[in-house]
Amino acid sequence: MPSFNYADKAIHFVCYAGLAFWMAFAYKSKHLIPKDIGIPIILTSVYGIIDEIHQSFVPGRSCSVFDWIADTTGAFLGVLVFILTYTYIKERIKNTR
């Protein structure tokens, strides 16, 4: 674990951003129009809640609402990065045809 202030929150943020990115990728197989972006975010956030509850039963770990907030804000970023990446690639492909 890195040794800077709030390192655990940064790790939660980055890991859940990655999880949400790939959830959005999987969800995109059929949809992901702007009104649908909430689904990967909600699923990632719910997973974060379940993970935090699970940690309350693990010795040496604790359940933290601040970790969940980091998870959820990371999910927003992950989906945003996916949408930007997807849009960029889609435009590049369209322009090469």
Side-chain angles (χ1 to χ4, degrees):
M1 182 70 108
S3 60
F4 57 88
N5 288 338
Y6 305 108
D8 64 323
K9 305 302 181 261
I11 290 171
H12 274 267
F13 182 86
V14 169
C15 289
Y16 278 79
L19 176 61
F21 178 92
W22 292 111
M23 278 192 172
F25 179 81
Y27 187 72
K28 175 60 192 106
S29 65
K30 299 261 182 209
H31 358 57
L32 198 66
I33 55 176
K35 67 179 183 173
D36 289 339
I37 64 166
I39 302 221
I41 295 168
I42 290 168
L43 290 173
T44 304
S45 181
V46 168
Y47 182 80
I49 291 169
I50 292 168
D51 186 42
E52 290 304 315
I53 292 169
H54 165 260
Q55 287 180 27
S56 69
F57 298 104
V58 176
R61 302 295 301 267
S62 63
C63 180
S64 168
V65 71
F66 298 110
D67 285 349
W68 172 72
I69 291 170
D71 300 342
T72 303
T73 55
F76 275 102
L77 178 69
V79 171
L80 177 64
V81 168
F82 172 77
I83 290 170
L84 294 173
T85 304
Y86 176 78
T87 304
Y88 175 76
I89 291 170
K90 188 175 171 183
E91 287 299 315
R92 292 286 306 245
I93 291 170
K94 188 169 118 179
N95 290 335
T96 59
R97 289 184 180 174

